[in-house]
C-alpha cells in the first residue's frame, strides 16, 4: 500500500485532497489474481437436501457446497465454512447460479455486463444494475463456486418460514437469530468444517449476519455484510414516523417466494412427508406480517407502526460484535443511515473493521468496482477477507481502507475516519432572499451565513412529483434509475413542488462529510404536518443532484438526546427521534413549532461554481407514506415554513470550506420541542 493511514497521496484532478487509492494497489492485484487464477479444486459438489433440526423442533432446509475432485466427489479435507441465511428461497439462488455458470448463457451474461459503461442518460440505470453481474455481487448473494473451489465449504439456509424451511416467518426475530447461532454450531461440528465459520450476504442476509455476530458464537470468526442495517425503523420501516412503500412490496415478494417449493428436492420431500409439514406451515401463515401492517397503517393500533420493542429486539447490537467485520453500503441505499453507523459503532480497531460506501442504491452495489482507482470487485474483497480471518493468510487486507468512500461529485478514496478529519461544523440559514437559480420552484430562497431579516410564511402543499424523483429510486431499491436522469441525477422536475433555498457558488472544491441536521420552524392549518427534505448539489447548468434526504411528521419531533449526536459544544448534528406512541407531541393548528430533520449521513464535494441547495416539500410520495389517522388529522392542511429571525431555520453540516457560519450552540436543542 503506497501511503500510510491518513496520509495524503497528492491531489485529485479537481483539487480535493486525496487519501490512498481505493484500488488497493499491489495487494489487491494479488487478491484478484487469487480469485481469477487456477483453483486447488476443479469442481464443486452441491447437496440441496440438508435438513437441520432446531431446538424448538422446526426443520430448516439447507444447501451445502463443498470442494470436489475432477469426478465431482467431495474432498474429505475439513475447510472453513461460509454461511448465508437467506429468505429469498434457495430455488431462486439455484436459478441464478445455473444462469451465471451455464457454459453459453453465463459467458454471455458476463460479457454483456462488462460492456455496460453508461452512468447517466437513457441507459445509465440499466447499465449500473447490469454491471453487478460482472463485479461479484451475485457471488456474494448466492452460490460462490469460485470461493468453494479455492478451499471453502458454503452453506446456504432458507430462513424459517421461507423457501423450503418449515415454521413461520418471523422477520429477523429473536427465534430466527437463535436459528443462526444453532446453525453455526452445527456447521462447526461437521467433519467437513475445520471449526472456523464466516457469514456473508446482501440485504436481509447481511442484517442476519450482523445479528448473529452480536451474539458472539465462538465459531463465527468473520462477517462480510453487503448493505445491512442497524436500525430498520429509521432506515426504511417508519422513517420520520412515516411507513415506506418499500415494505409492503418487499413483504409481498418474500411471502410469494415462500410458496415456491424447491424442485431439486420436491419428490424426496413428498415421500418423506416434509412437503405436507411445509404446506401446513404455509397455510397457517400465508402472508406473514401483511395483515398486521395493513391494520396498523389504517388504524395506528398496531405497535409496529411505531418504534416498539418489536424492532428493538430485531436490531443487531453492533457494539457487541467482536469478530472482524467488513460492511458495504450506499449513500442512497434503503439502509443509507446504517452504511456509516455500523462502522462507527463497531468497538474494534480499524482494519478488523472495514467500511466501503458507494454513490449508489440497494440494487447496484459493486457496479463500478474493479476499474483503476476504484475498489476491487466484491467477490475479490470477500475472498481476501475470509482468507485473512478464516484461514490466517497474511494478505494485508487489514491494511485496506479502513474507510473507503465514493465521494459524491468526486472520486473514490481510502482514509481512516468518517466524517473526514478535515471537516468542521458550519451553519447556513434559510432566507427569503432570491438566489436567482430556482425560478422553477414554489419559492426561490437563499442559504446564507445570516438569518432571515424579517418574518415571512411560505406556503407549500403536497403533490405527486415524488413519483419522478430520486426518492422513488431509493424506495424501489434503485430499480427506478432505469427510467432516466430525473430519477437519479437531476431533481428539477420534483423541485417544482419545493420551497428551495440555494447558497452562493463556491470558489474552490468544498467537501461535505458526515451527519447533517435541518432545523425548520413550521406551522400547519391542521393538527399534523408532513415534511420531506433534500440537500442538493446544484451545477452551473442548473442540474440539481440530491446528496441526502430526510423526513419527519411534526408530531414525532421529540428528540432522544441519549441517541442524538452533538458537537462538544452542544450543536446538534444528527437528530434521533423517539418515534414511539407515547412520545408523540400535539401539533397545534396555525402555531409554529420547531422540528429537527435528520438527514442521511453522506460524503460529497462541491466543485467550483457549484452551490448547495435545501429543498423542502410537504410530502414525497411514495417514499414516505402517511398512516390514515395522521392523514385524517392533516386533512385539507396548508403547511407553512415560517422564516423568523427570532426562530431561524437552518442547516447544520460539516465542511472543510468557508461555506456558512460557525454554529452557535443552542441549548434548547437538547430538549424535545
Amino acid at each position: 500500500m503506497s501511503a500510510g493511514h491518513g496520509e495524503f497521496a497528492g491531489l485529485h484532478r479537481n483539487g480535493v485532497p486525496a487519501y490512498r487509492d481505493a484500488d488497493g494497489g499491489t495487494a489487491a492485484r494479488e487478491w484478484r489474481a487469487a480469485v481469477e487464477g487456477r483453483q486447488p479444486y476443479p469442481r464443486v459438489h452441491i447437496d440441496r437436501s440438508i435438513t437441520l433440526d432446531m431446538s424448538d423442533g422446526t426443520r430448516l432446509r439447507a444447501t451445502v457446497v463443498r470442494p470436489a475432485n475432477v469426478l465431482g466427489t467431495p474432498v474429505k479435507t475439513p475447510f472453513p465454512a461460509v454461511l448465508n441465511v437467506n429468505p429469498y428461497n434457495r430455488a431462486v439462488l439455484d436459478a441464478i447460479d445455473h444462469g451465471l455458470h451455464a457454459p453459453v448463457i453465463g459467458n454471455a451474461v458476463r460479457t454483456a455486463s462488462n460492456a455496460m459503461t453508461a452512468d447517466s442518460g437513457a441507459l445509465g440505470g440499466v447499465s449500473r444494475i447490469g454491471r453487478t453481474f460482472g463485479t461479484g455481487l451475485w457471488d456474494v448473494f448466492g452460490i460462490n463456486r469460485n470461493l468453494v473451489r479455492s478451499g471453502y465449504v458454503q452453506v446456504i439456509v432458507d430462513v424459517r418460514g421461507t423457501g423450503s424451511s418449515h415454521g413461520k416467518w418471523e422477520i429477523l426475530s429473536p427465534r430466527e437469530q437463535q436459528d443462526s447461532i444453532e446453525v453455526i454450531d452445527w456447521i462447526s461440528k461437521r467433519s467437513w468444517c475445520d471449526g472456523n465459520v464466516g457469514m456473508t450476504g446482501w440485504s436481509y442476509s447481511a442484517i442476519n449476519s450482523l445479528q448473529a455476530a452480536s451474539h458472539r458464537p465462538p465459531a463465527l470468526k468473520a462477517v462480510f455484510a453487503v448493505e445491512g442495517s442497524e436500525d430498520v425503523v429509521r432506515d426504511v420501516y417508519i422513517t420520520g414516523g412515516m411507513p415506506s412503500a418499500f415494505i409492503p412490496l418487499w413483504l409481498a415478494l418474500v411471502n410469494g417466494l415462500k410458496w415456491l417449493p424447491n424442485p431439486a428436492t420436491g419428490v424426496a420431500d413428498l415421500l418423506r412427508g416434509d412437503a405436507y409439514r411445509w404446506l401446513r406451515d404455509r397455510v397457517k401463515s400465508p402472508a406473514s406480517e401483511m395483515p398486521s401492517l395493513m391494520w396498523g397503517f389504517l388504524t395506528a393500533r398496531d405497535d409496529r407502526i411505531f418504534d416498539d420493542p418489536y424492532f428493538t429486539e430485531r436490531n443487531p447490537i453492533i457494539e457487541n460484535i467482536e469478530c472482524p467485520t467488513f460492511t458495504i453500503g450506499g449513500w442512497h441505499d434503503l439502509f443509507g443511515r446504517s452504511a456509516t453507523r455500523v462502522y462507527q459503532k463497531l468497538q474494534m480497531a480499524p482494519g478488523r473493521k472495514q467500511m466501503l460506501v458507494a454513490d449508489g442504491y440497494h440494487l447496484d452495489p459493486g457496479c463500478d468496482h474493479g476499474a483503476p482507482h476504484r475498489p476491487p470487485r466484491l467477490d475479490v474483497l470477500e475472498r481476501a477477507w475470509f482468507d485473512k480471518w478464516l484461514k490466517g493468510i497474511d494478505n494485508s487486507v487489514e491494511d485496506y481502507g479502513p474507510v473507503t468512500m465514493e465521494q459524491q461529485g468526486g472520486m473514490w478514496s481510502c482514509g481512516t475516519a468518517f466524517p473526514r478529519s478535515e471537516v468542521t461544523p458550519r451553519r447556513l440559514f434559510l432566507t427569503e432572499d432570491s438566489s436567482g437559480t430556482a425560478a422553477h420552484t414554489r419559492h426561490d430562497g437563499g442559504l446564507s451565513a445570516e438569518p432571515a431579516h424579517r418574518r415571512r410564511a411560505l406556503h407549500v402543499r403536497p403533490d405527486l412529483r415524488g413519483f419522478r424523483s430520486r426518492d422513488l429510486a431509493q424506495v424501489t431499491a434503485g430499480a427506478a434509475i432505469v427510467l432516466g436522469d430525473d430519477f437519479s441525477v437531476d431533481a428539477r422536475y420534483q423541485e417544482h413542488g419545493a420551497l428551495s433555498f440555494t447558497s452562493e457558488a463556491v470558489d474552490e472544491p468544498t467537501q461535505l462529510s458526515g451527519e447533517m441536521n435541518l432545523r425548520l420552524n413550521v406551522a400547519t392549518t391542521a393538527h399534523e404536518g408532513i415534511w420531506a427534505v433534500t440537500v442538493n448539489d446544484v451545477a452551473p447548468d442548473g442540474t440539481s443532484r440530491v446528496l441526502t434526504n430526510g423526513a419527519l411528521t411534526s408530531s414525532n419531533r421529540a428528540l432522544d438526546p441519549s441517541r442524538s449526536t452533538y458537537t462538544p459544544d452542544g450543536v446538534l448534528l444528527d437528530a434521533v427521534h423517539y418515534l414511539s406512541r407515547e412520545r408523540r407531541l400535539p401539533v397545534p393548528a396555525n402555531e409554529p413549532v420547531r422540528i429537527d430533520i435528520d438527514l442521511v449521513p453522506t460524503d460529497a464535494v462541491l466543485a467550483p461554481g457549484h452551490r448547495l441547495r435545501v429543498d423542502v416539500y410537504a410530502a414525497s410520495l411514495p417514499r414516505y407514506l402517511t398512516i390514515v389517522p395522521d392523514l385524517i388529522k392533516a386533512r385539507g392542511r396548508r403547511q407553512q415554513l415560517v422564516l423568523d429571525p427570532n426562530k431561524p431555520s437552518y442547516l447544520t453540516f460539516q465542511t472543510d470550506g468557508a461555506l456558512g457560519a460557525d454554529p452557535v450552540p443552542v441549548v434548547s436543542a437538547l430538549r424535545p420541542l
Side-chain angles (χ1 to χ4, degrees), residues 45-52 54 60-67 79-86 90 93-94 139-145 147-148 152-159 179-180 182-190 192-194 196-201 205 208-209 382 386 390:
H45 177 272
I46 303 178
D47 186 348
R48 299 179 175 88
S49 63
I50 304 298
T51 299
L52 306 177
M54 297 295 98
L60 304 186
R61 305 304 300 277
T63 296
V64 174
V65 189
R66 297 170 58 186
F79 299 100
V82 175
L83 170 64
N84 182 312
V85 182
N86 198 301
R90 288 175 301 126
L93 273 61
D94 283 345
D139 295 303
V140 175
F141 178 63
I143 295 174
N144 190 339
R145 291 175 179 246
L147 180 70
V148 173
Y152 288 88
V153 175
Q154 189 175 16
V155 181
I156 300 175
V157 179
D158 284 329
V159 169
D179 290 346
S180 296
E182 293 180 16
V183 170
I184 290 169
D185 181 66
W186 177 86
I187 291 172
S188 69
K189 295 175 180 177
R190 299 306 97 190
W192 38 257
C193 179
D194 66 4
N196 296 301
V197 180
M199 287 192 76
T200 191
S205 300
N208 193 291
S209 299
E382 180 192 45
F386 288 140
L390 299 186

Side-chain angles (χ1 to χ4, degrees), residues 52-359:
L52 306 177
D53 293 316
M54 297 295 98
S55 58
D56 66 348
T58 300
R59 293 182 175 181
L60 304 186
R61 305 304 300 277
T63 296
V64 174
V65 189
R66 297 170 58 186
N69 61 25
V70 70
L71 299 176
T73 304
V75 177
K76 294 182 178 181
T77 305
F79 299 100
V82 175
L83 170 64
N84 182 312
V85 182
N86 198 301
Y88 298 112
N89 199 319
R90 288 175 301 126
V92 173
L93 273 61
D94 283 345
I96 294 172
D97 174 63
H98 290 315
L100 289 177
H101 293 94
V104 176
I105 297 176
N107 290 335
V109 168
R110 295 180 187 276
T111 299
S113 174
N114 293 332
M116 295 181 176
T117 58
D119 277 321
S120 61
L123 295 178
V126 175
S127 176
R128 287 187 64 86
I129 294 174
R131 290 202 299 268
T132 62
F133 289 94
T135 53
L137 173 63
W138 298 95
D139 295 303
V140 175
F141 178 63
I143 295 174
N144 190 339
R145 291 175 179 246
N146 197 276
L147 180 70
V148 173
R149 290 175 54 237
S150 73
Y152 288 88
V153 175
Q154 189 175 16
V155 181
I156 300 175
V157 179
D158 284 329
V159 169
R160 68 166 53 214
T162 72
S164 297
S165 288
H166 300 174
K168 176 184 177 181
W169 185 38
E170 298 178 359
I171 307 183
L172 301 168
S173 68
R175 178 61 249 187
E176 189 177 302
Q177 297 173 48
Q178 180 63 29
D179 290 346
S180 296
I181 295 168
E182 293 180 16
V183 170
I184 290 169
D185 181 66
W186 177 86
I187 291 172
S188 69
K189 295 175 180 177
R190 299 306 97 190
S191 62
W192 38 257
C193 179
D194 66 4
N196 296 301
V197 180
M199 287 192 76
T200 191
W202 173 25
S203 190
Y204 193 103
S205 300
I207 300 173
N208 193 291
S209 299
L210 295 171
Q211 286 178 322
S214 72
H215 292 285
R216 302 176 180 175
L220 183 59
K221 303 298 175 59
V223 164
F224 189 86
V226 179
E227 295 183 334
S229 174
E230 55 90 31
D231 188 342
V232 294
V233 168
R234 288 161 183 81
D235 276 340
V236 70
Y237 216 99
I238 48 173
T239 305
M242 289 171 280
S244 165
F246 171 79
I247 296 299
L249 295 174
W250 172 72
L251 285 174
L253 171 66
V254 180
N255 275 298
L257 290 176
K258 79 180 186 182
W259 283 91
L260 177 67
N262 194 323
T265 59
V267 175
D269 290 347
L270 189 63
L271 295 175
R272 289 196 303 259
D274 281 332
Y276 164 75
R277 286 184 284 268
W278 172 85
L279 182 60
R280 177 197 61 194
D281 289 343
R282 294 300 180 271
V283 171
K284 285 182 179 179
S285 179
S288 301
E289 299 286 345
M290 295 191 72
S292 61
L293 178 72
M294 182 60 67
W295 176 250
F297 183 80
L298 293 175
T299 68
R301 293 180 181 176
D302 191 292
D303 288 336
R304 281 162 287 193
I305 294 298
F306 305 96
D307 192 5
D308 183 76
Y310 171 89
F311 292 108
T312 303
E313 63 188 17
R314 283 162 167 76
N315 288 330
I317 305 174
I318 304 299
E319 295 87 344
N320 287 352
I321 297 176
E322 293 182 336
C323 67
T325 300
F326 200 126
T327 63
I328 311 289
W331 299 126
H332 301 279
D333 176 32
L334 289 165
F335 307 124
R337 285 174 170 80
S338 290
T340 55
R341 289 178 181 173
V342 171
Y343 180 84
Q344 291 169 326
K345 287 185 174 183
L346 286 169
Q347 303 297 301
M348 62 184 73
R352 284 178 61 86
K353 64 175 180 177
Q354 297 265 355
M355 173 188 100
L356 185 152
V357 187
D359 182 11

Side-chain angles (χ1 to χ4, degrees), residues 30 225 243-244 313 338 346 359 391 410 427 445 515 597 628 641:
E30 293 174 354
S244 165
E313 63 188 17
S338 290
L346 286 169
D359 182 11
K391 289 187 174 182
R427 179 171 295 165
E515 297 84 357
I597 301 181
V628 172
L641 173 59

Side-chain angles (χ1 to χ4, degrees), residues 423-457:
V423 300
T424 57
R426 304 283 283 179
R427 179 171 295 165
L428 281 168
F429 294 91
L430 281 59
T431 72
E432 74 279 13
D433 301 326
S434 173
S435 72
T437 65
H440 59 289
T441 67
R442 290 181 182 240
H443 176 79
D444 175 18
L447 278 180
S448 171
E450 299 293 334
H453 56 269
R454 65 185 180 92
R455 193 180 192 276
R456 182 177 178 185

